[in-house]
Every structure is written in C-alpha cells, then in structure tokens.
C-alpha cells in the first residue's frame, strides 16, 4: 500500500518554542492531506485539511495562528505548533489520499509532542 | 456537521467468539464508512469500508453492515484471535474523498 511518513516521530521542546512536523507521501501524490490530534485513549480529532497550493481549512475551535499548516508540494505538508505550551502536548497524525486511487486514506506513524 | 457515535468503548471477548461494534451517524448525506484498526502506538490502518450503495460487505473474518434508514453501521469480527486486540474506529464521510469524522473508538481485548 501507499506510504505516509511523519517526522519527527517524537519531540520534546520547551514552552514558548515552535515545533515543525512534516508529513510526506513517499510513493504517491496528494492534493489534500489531513492533520489530526489524538489524546491518550481517545479518538482522532480532525484539526485541519491541508490543500496543496492554497490555504488550509481549519476545523471549528482550532487556532490557525497557533497551528500553521503549509502544503507546498504534492508530497509534503507541514504542521508548525507555534509558541508551544504544555497543553499542546499530544499525538499528532497526518493522513493523505493518493490522487490516483480509490479514496483510501493512509496515515502517517504519528508524532508525539511533549512540551515542558 | 457530522457526528459519529460508537459503542461499546471497551469489548472483551474470548478467543474464537465474535465481536460486534456499532456506530451511528447524524448526517444523512454521509455515504462512505470506513473502519480502522489502531494498535498501541501505531498508525490507524484501514481494515474494511462500505459505501452507501451496498448494505453489507465481507472480507474473510471481518464484515460490515450498513442501515441507511436508521443511520447506523456495524463491524463484525468472527473467530476472534489475540492479534485482533486493538482499538477500532469507525468513521463517516459525505464522500470517499472528503474529510472523515471518527467515532470515539472501541478497545477490543481478545483473551486466549
């Protein structure tokens, strides 16, 4: 199947710093990628839809200035958590659909962010 | 927007028995319903999906049923095995290319 890779898989940072997480589709192109946040033992909460070449679409309650999303190419989307605080600590997962495919969504391995 | 509810939150079954997870959705326009399995610390993986033009789909020990009138769909796992232990998420979307709304998840534990 198609492969989606996230980097870093885990990151620890100090409060007030910014952290960038990359989501890459390794063997396919995707015009749309999705970013989710997952708390321990909870579901995946959609944060935003990343659109190649245009602005991301954010879900209600998600601060776009806090979670900056850039989708500069058909294989890369980045999520930047700006001025991170301990409450931003979470598991962030991206997903992507191949342009040429049946609609199946492929997930990255996730990135665990811990803000001290 | 779409709201997906999933039950039960935890399910413990003996190896060899069947497991059933149920989900309901609120948006009658939803027409794509995938199920994902997520093992601890790993990424969700699609195990089966169904579109609204069919009522049932089966893949070996896994089957999904859809009742559009009642707006609910279910996952059935037969002859459960320890490796079936994981968290299972249902999801719904207005089309297979749109964003997915996930259920809360069901922790399935299969005991030998």
């Amino acid at each position: 199947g198609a492969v989606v890779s996230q980097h870093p898989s885990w990151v620890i940072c100090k409060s007030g710093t910014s952290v960038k997480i990359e989501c890459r589709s390794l063997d396919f192109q995707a015009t749309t990628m999705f970013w989710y946040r997952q708390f321990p033992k909870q579901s995946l909460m959609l944060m935003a839809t990343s659109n190649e070449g245009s602005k991301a679409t954010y879900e209600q309650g998600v601060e776009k200035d806090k979670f900056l999303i850039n989708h500069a190419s058909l294989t890369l989307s980045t999520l930047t958590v700006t001025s991170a605080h301990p409450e931003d600590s979470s598991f962030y997962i991206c997903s992507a659909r191949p342009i040429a495919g049946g609609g199946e969504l492929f997930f990255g391995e996730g990135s665990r962010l811990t803000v001290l | 927007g779409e709201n997906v509810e999933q039950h039960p939150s935890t399910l413990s079954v003996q190896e060899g028995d069947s497991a059933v997870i149920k989900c309901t959705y609120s948006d009658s326009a939803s027409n794509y319903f995938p199920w994902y399995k997520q093992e601890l610390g790993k990424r969700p993986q699609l195990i089966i999906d169904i579109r609204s033009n069919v009522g049932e789909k089966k893949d070996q020990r896994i089957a999904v049923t859809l009742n559009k009138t009642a707006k609910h769909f279910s996952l059935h796992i037969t002859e459960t095995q320890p490796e079936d232990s994981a968290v299972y998420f249902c999801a719904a979307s207005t089309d297979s290319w749109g964003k997915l709304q996930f259920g809360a998840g069901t922790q399935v534990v299969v005991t030998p």
Side-chain angles (χ1 to χ4, degrees):
Chain A
V3 178
V4 176
S5 177
Q6 271 183 251
H7 179 80
S9 56
W10 61 270
V11 57
I12 301 172
C13 70
K14 291 183 179 180
S15 188
T17 60
S18 294
V19 175
K20 180 185 286 187
I21 301 170
E22 294 185 345
C23 178
R24 292 182 184 273
S25 54
L26 298 186
D27 50 3
F28 66 93
Q29 294 182 325
T31 54
T32 303
M33 294 185 177
F34 302 92
W35 285 95
Y36 300 84
R37 186 171 178 176
Q38 187 176 34
F39 291 104
K41 297 187 178 181
Q42 292 192 24
S43 188
L44 294 97
M45 284 179 37
L46 180 65
M47 298 175 64
T49 302
S50 173
N51 305 298
E52 187 269 334
S54 63
K55 291 182 180 180
T57 306
Y58 290 82
E59 294 300 299
Q60 191 172 12
V62 178
E63 299 176 59
K64 59 181 180 181
D65 295 330
K66 173 77 172 173
F67 300 99
L68 300 178
I69 291 173
N70 183 274
H71 194 152
S73 76
L74 289 172
T75 59
L76 174 64
S77 175
T78 60
L79 168 68
T80 301
V81 182
T82 63
S83 187
H85 291 284
E87 57 265 30
D88 298 324
S89 298
S90 189
F91 195 54
Y92 294 88
I93 309 180
C94 70
S95 65
R97 283 198 180 92
I99 293 174
E104 181 177 346
L105 202 61
F106 294 92
F107 284 84
E109 60 266 54
S111 299
R112 184 161 301 284
L113 170 64
T114 301
V115 184
L116 302 176
Chain B
E2 176 66 275
N3 181 47
V4 178
E5 294 193 357
Q6 183 172 346
H7 300 281
S9 56
T10 58
L11 181 60
S12 183
V13 296
Q14 289 275 65
E15 183 177 359
D17 288 349
S18 295
V20 180
I21 303 170
K22 299 182 179 182
C23 288
T24 60
Y25 61 99
S26 61
D27 190 345
S28 56
S30 290
N31 57 14
Y32 176 62
F33 309 92
W35 286 87
Y36 289 85
K37 176 183 180 182
Q38 186 179 29
E39 297 179 15
L40 187 63
K42 295 189 177 180
R43 73 188 81 194
Q45 301 225 327
L46 180 72
I47 55 171
I48 195 167
D49 58 11
I50 190 168
R51 289 175 170 78
S52 59
N53 58 343
V54 297
E56 185 174 357
K57 185 176 178 181
K58 190 173 181 180
D59 182 5
Q60 299 183 333
R61 297 187 296 109
I62 294 172
V64 57
T65 59
L66 171 65
N67 184 324
K68 286 175 56 180
T69 303
K71 289 190 283 188
H72 67 69
F73 55 113
S74 301
L75 177 72
H76 303 252
I77 307 174
T78 59
E79 300 172 31
T80 54
Q81 301 167 4
E83 51 265 39
D84 294 329
S85 297
V87 178
Y88 292 81
F89 293 99
C90 63
S93 174
T94 53
D95 64 76
S96 58
W97 291 94
K99 60 185 181 182
L100 292 174
Q101 186 68 44
F102 284 85
T106 297
Q107 173 76 61
V108 174
V109 177
V110 180
T111 53

